[in-house]
C-alpha cells in the first residue's frame, strides 16, 4: 500500500484523528491525501496532500481542516461510481472515512459496489453508531453543553425559574442524558423514552409545594422542541418558563483530552487495519478495548439501555 486518503465530517477530535492517521501512515512509509468537502470532494476529485508537517498544530482545533459537506449526489449509485473512479485515478489504495451514520454507510457502499478498501472511524456528537461505545466528538459535545448548562443554572437558581434546554441528538439521547446527569437536572426527554407532559407538570407542582422552585429540563432535539415543551408546562402549571437552544456550539470547540487521545488511538488503528488488508469495517471502542467492527453492523440503528441512568437522574433530582 503506497497511498491512503482521508475523508471527514466535522466534529471535535477529527483534526486530531487526521494528524494521527497521517503521521502513522508516514511512519509506515505510506503517503496520505486529504479529500476536501467529504463525498463532494471524492466525486469531484478535490484533494490536498497531507504530510507530517501539514498536520502540525491541529490537534487542538475543532471542526475539520478538510472541510465537510452534506452530499446529496452520493445517495445515487451513479455518483458513487464516479467517486470510485476518483479513487482509482488518484492511485488511492485505501480510504479512511471519519463521520457518523451517513458517512459510514457511504463507505460501506463504496466497498460493496466498487471494491474500494475502506476503514471507518466513528465520529459524531450524537454517539449513535451501533455497537460503538463512544464516537469521536461526543465527549467534547457533552462538555460544551455542560459548560453552557452550568451558566444557565446560575440564572435558573437566582430567579427561581424553570428552564427547558434543547441539546443536539437526532435519534439518540446520548448528549441529553449525559448532560442531564452531569448537570444535576430534574428531567430529560430523549428519543429512547416516551414522556408524559402531565406527569412532568405534576412533578413540578409537587416540587413547588415543597419549596423547589427552579427546574432544568433537558430535551434532545430528536424528541421534542424546547419551545413546545416550555409552552406545555406554562399552559398546564401557570409557571413562567425560559428556553435555551444550544445548537451547533455543541459540535465545535476544542476537543477534550479524551477525544484527542481516542483520536490518536483510533487513527493509528485505522491505518494499521488498512495495511493489514482489513476493509468494510470501522475501528471502535467497545468495553474499553479497540477492535474492528463490520460497517454493515455499525450502520444499523443503535439501541442503548437508558432506564437505569434515567431512574438515577430522577432519584437524585
Ligand atoms: O449528526 C450530528 C448533528 O449535529 C445532529 O446532532 C444534528 O441534528 C445534525 O447533525 C445537524 O446537521 P446540520 O449541521 O447539517 O444542520
Amino acid at each position: 500500500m503506497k497511498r491512503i486518503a482521508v475523508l471527514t465530517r466535522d466534529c471535535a477530535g477529527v483534526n486530531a484523528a487526521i494528524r494521527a492517521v497521517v503521521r502513522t501512515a508516514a511512519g509506515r512509509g505510506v503517503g496520505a491525501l486529504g479529500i476536501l468537502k467529504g463525498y463532494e470532494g471524492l466525486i469531484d476529485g478535490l484533494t490536498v496532500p497531507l504530510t507530517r508537517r501539514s498536520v502540525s498544530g491541529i490537534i487542538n482545533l475543532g471542526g475539520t481542516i478538510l472541510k465537510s459537506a452534506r452530499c446529496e449526489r452520493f445517495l445515487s449509485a451513479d455518483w458513487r461510481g464516479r467517486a470510485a473512479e476518483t479513487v482509482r485515478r488518484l492511485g488511492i489504495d485505501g480510504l479512511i472515512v471519519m463521520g457518523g451514520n451517513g458517512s459510514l454507510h457511504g463507505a460501506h457502499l463504496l466497498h460493496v459496489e466498487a471494491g474500494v478498501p475502506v476503514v471507518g472511524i466513528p465520529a459524531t456528537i450524537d454517539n449513535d453508531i451501533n455497537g460503538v461505545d463512544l464516537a469521536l466528538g461526543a465527549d467534547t459535545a457533552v462538555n460544551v453543553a455542560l459548560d453552557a448548562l452550568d451558566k444557565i443554572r446560575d440564572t435558573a437558581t437566582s430567579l427561581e425559574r424553570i428552564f427547558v434546554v434543547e441539546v443536539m441528538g437526532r435519534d439518540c439521547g446520548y448528549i441529553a442524558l449525559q448532560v442531564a446527569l452531569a448537570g444535576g437536572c430534574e428531567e430529560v426527554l430523549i428519543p429512547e423514552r416516551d414522556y408524559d407532559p402531565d406527569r412532568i407538570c405534576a412533578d413540578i407542582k409537587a416540587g413547588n409545594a415543597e419549596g423547589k422552585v427552579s427546574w432544568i429540563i433537558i430535551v434532545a432535539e430528536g424528541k421534542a422542541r424546547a419551545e413546545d415543551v416550555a409552552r406545555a408546562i406554562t399552559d398546564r402549571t401557570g409557571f413562567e418558563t425560559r428556553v435555551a437552544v444550544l445548537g451547533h456550539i455543541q459540535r465545535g470547540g476544542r476537543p477534550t483530552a479524551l477525544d484527542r487521545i481516542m483520536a490518536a488511538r483510533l487513527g493509528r488503528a485505522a491505518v494499521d487495519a488498512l495495511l493489514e488488508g482489513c476493509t468494510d469495517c470501522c475501528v471502535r471502542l467497545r468495553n474499553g478495548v479497540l477492535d474492528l467492527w463490520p460497517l454493515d453492523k455499525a450502520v444499523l440503528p443503535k439501541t442503548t439501555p437508558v432506564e437505569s441512568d434515567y431512574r438515577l437522574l430522577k432519584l437524585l433530582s
Side-chain angles (χ1 to χ4, degrees):
M1 190 162 288
K2 294 261 185 311
R3 174 185 278 177
I4 61 170
V6 190
L7 179 153
T8 59
R9 274 286 286 167
D10 74 294
C11 66
V14 161
N15 283 324
I18 294 171
R19 170 182 177 271
V21 163
V22 171
R23 292 191 172 174
T24 301
R28 314 277 195 255
V30 174
L33 210 55
I35 309 293
L36 296 171
K37 296 191 178 179
Y39 287 117
E40 287 285 339
L42 197 61
I43 291 171
D44 295 334
L46 308 175
T47 64
V48 60
L50 293 172
T51 64
R52 292 187 71 88
R53 291 275 50 83
S54 69
V55 295
S56 74
I58 66 169
I59 194 168
N60 56 336
L61 300 182
T64 166
I65 59 163
L66 296 177
K67 313 278 188 200
S68 194
R70 292 222 184 267
C71 180
E72 292 296 322
R73 286 188 293 170
F74 210 70
L75 299 176
S76 116
D78 286 351
W79 286 112
R80 290 196 294 273
R82 279 280 281 279
E85 273 170 34
T86 307
V87 169
R88 279 187 278 276
R89 181 167 54 79
L90 297 177
I92 294 166
D93 302 311
L95 180 66
I96 292 178
V97 174
M98 303 179 193
N101 258 309
S103 306
L104 297 186
H105 191 226
H108 173 60
L109 293 177
L110 270 180
H111 174 79
V112 170
E113 294 171 359
V116 176
V118 291
V119 171
I121 296 182
T124 164
I125 65 168
D126 287 2
N127 202 27
D128 59 351
I129 308 293
N130 180 47
V132 174
D133 286 349
L134 192 59
L136 275 186
D139 185 60
T140 302
V142 168
N143 280 287
V144 167
L146 184 61
D147 184 52
L149 183 72
D150 286 345
K151 291 170 180 144
I152 289 168
R153 178 174 288 290
D154 291 345
T155 299
T157 309
S158 303
L159 278 96
E160 303 187 331
R161 268 183 185 158
I162 300 170
F163 266 87
V164 183
V165 180
E166 184 179 312
V167 299
M168 275 186 163
R170 238 183 328 218
D171 307 310
C172 188
Y174 178 79
I175 297 177
L177 191 50
Q178 298 290 304
V179 165
L181 270 172
C185 298
E186 281 70 25
E187 189 58 74
V188 62
L189 311 188
I190 50 178
E192 292 88 343
R193 294 192 87 251
D194 290 336
Y195 82 97
D196 174 5
D198 290 327
R199 200 267 301 152
I200 292 174
C201 291
D203 281 359
I204 292 174
K205 282 183 186 161
N208 194 265
E210 288 173 13
K212 182 172 177 48
V213 280
S214 82
W215 280 70
I216 300 184
I217 298 167
I218 304 290
V219 184
E221 62 172 350
K223 183 63 182 177
R225 307 315 300 193
E227 280 284 349
D228 298 336
V229 175
R231 198 173 312 111
I233 292 171
T234 302
D235 288 350
R236 286 172 168 79
T237 64
F239 294 137
E240 237 188 304
T241 49
R242 289 289 186 278
V243 166
V245 179
L246 300 189
H248 283 81
I249 67 161
Q250 297 158 93
R251 214 158 80 197
R254 291 172 60 232
T256 57
L258 178 58
D259 267 326
R260 298 183 202 191
I261 293 163
M262 256 176 39
R265 293 183 175 145
L266 293 171
R268 178 183 63 182
V271 173
D272 285 343
L274 270 182
L275 294 183
E276 283 159 19
C278 303
T279 182
D280 201 18
C281 62
C282 63
V283 288
R284 69 165 179 178
L285 193 63
R286 185 71 168 173
N287 300 327
V289 177
L290 276 193
D291 66 6
L292 299 178
W293 175 237
L295 283 177
D296 61 348
K297 293 206 171 76
V299 298
L300 295 174
K302 183 177 190 175
T303 46
T304 311
V306 293
E307 279 315 306
S308 168
D309 275 349
Y310 180 77
R311 280 202 303 275
L312 177 61
L313 177 125
K314 294 304 289 179
L315 176 72
L316 302 182
S317 71

